[in-house]
């Protein structure tokens, strides 16, 4: 019987991919520091999804840009900044991202680049215009 070179390696790779667990929201759990270093966000389960809640701000302030006038005086610490986070492939999640700088909510993705590094992207116009930043896990 003739063997095909590289078939064994290909089969091993396929087995690893098939047996690897899917992306888990638990990979996001914990506290993350925003790129600016001004805010820490804690991820935890909330209902059937995952949410990110502001845990700390270097300079605590109110949610003054919130489109809901009744929420403009609330402190940002304790506010949900990321909601409806659901797995969207290996090491990737999608959900809603609340921008505390302008009070707008965007569709977004979170891409785990390593256990302690995440790329967060918020998009408008169906994903045509996106802004990204890198967050790091707080130890």
């Amino acid at each position: 019987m003739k063997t095909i070179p590289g078939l064994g390696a290909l089969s091993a790779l396929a087995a690893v991919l098939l047996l690897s667990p899917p992306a888990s929201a638990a990979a996001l759990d914990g506290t993350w520091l925003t790129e600016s270093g001004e805010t820490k966000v804690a991820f935890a389960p909330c209902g059937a999804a995952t949410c990110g809640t502001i845990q700390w701000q270097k300079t605590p302030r109110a949610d003054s840009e919130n489109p809901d006038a009744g929420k403009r005086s609330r402190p940002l610490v304790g506010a949900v900044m990321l909601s409806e986070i659901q797995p969207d492939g290996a090491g990737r999640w999608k959900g809603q991202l609340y921008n505390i700088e302008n009070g707008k909510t965007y569709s977004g993705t979170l891409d785990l680049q390593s256990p302690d590094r995440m790329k967060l992207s918020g998009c408008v116009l169906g994903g045509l215009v996106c802004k990204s930043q890198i967050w790091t896990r707080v130890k």
Side-chain angles (χ1 to χ4, degrees):
M1 177 178 352
K2 216 174 182 184
T3 60
I4 301 172
L7 185 59
L10 183 60
S11 296
L13 176 61
V16 168
L17 292 175
L18 289 173
L19 296 175
S20 296
S24 163
L28 294 177
D29 284 357
T31 303
W32 294 79
L33 182 65
T34 61
E35 188 172 89
S36 69
E38 299 286 323
T39 305
K40 290 181 184 176
V41 177
F43 285 87
C46 62
T50 297
C51 293
T53 303
I54 298 173
Q55 294 296 304
W56 172 89
Q57 287 189 296
K58 188 174 189 175
T59 307
R61 61 185 178 95
D63 192 5
S64 59
E65 300 301 319
N66 196 302
D68 180 342
K71 295 181 179 179
R72 290 183 188 150
S73 62
R74 76 175 179 172
L76 280 169
V77 172
V80 173
M81 186 174 178
L82 297 105
S83 60
E84 302 173 31
I85 304 297
Q86 298 283 343
D88 190 36
R92 183 181 183 98
W93 295 264
K94 65 180 177 178
Q96 300 298 306
L97 314 175
Y98 175 64
N99 183 338
I100 62 175
E101 300 302 322
N102 65 14
K104 295 183 180 177
T105 300
Y106 301 94
S107 296
T109 58
L110 299 91
D111 291 294
L112 204 57
Q113 298 182 323
S114 76
D116 296 325
R117 184 178 161 97
M118 170 177 36
K119 180 179 177 183
L120 183 99
S121 302
C123 302
V124 295
L125 300 173
L128 293 175
V129 178
C130 298
K131 288 193 175 189
S132 299
Q133 53 178 262
I134 302 297
W135 289 13
T136 54
R137 189 183 301 271
V138 176
K139 302 257 183 198

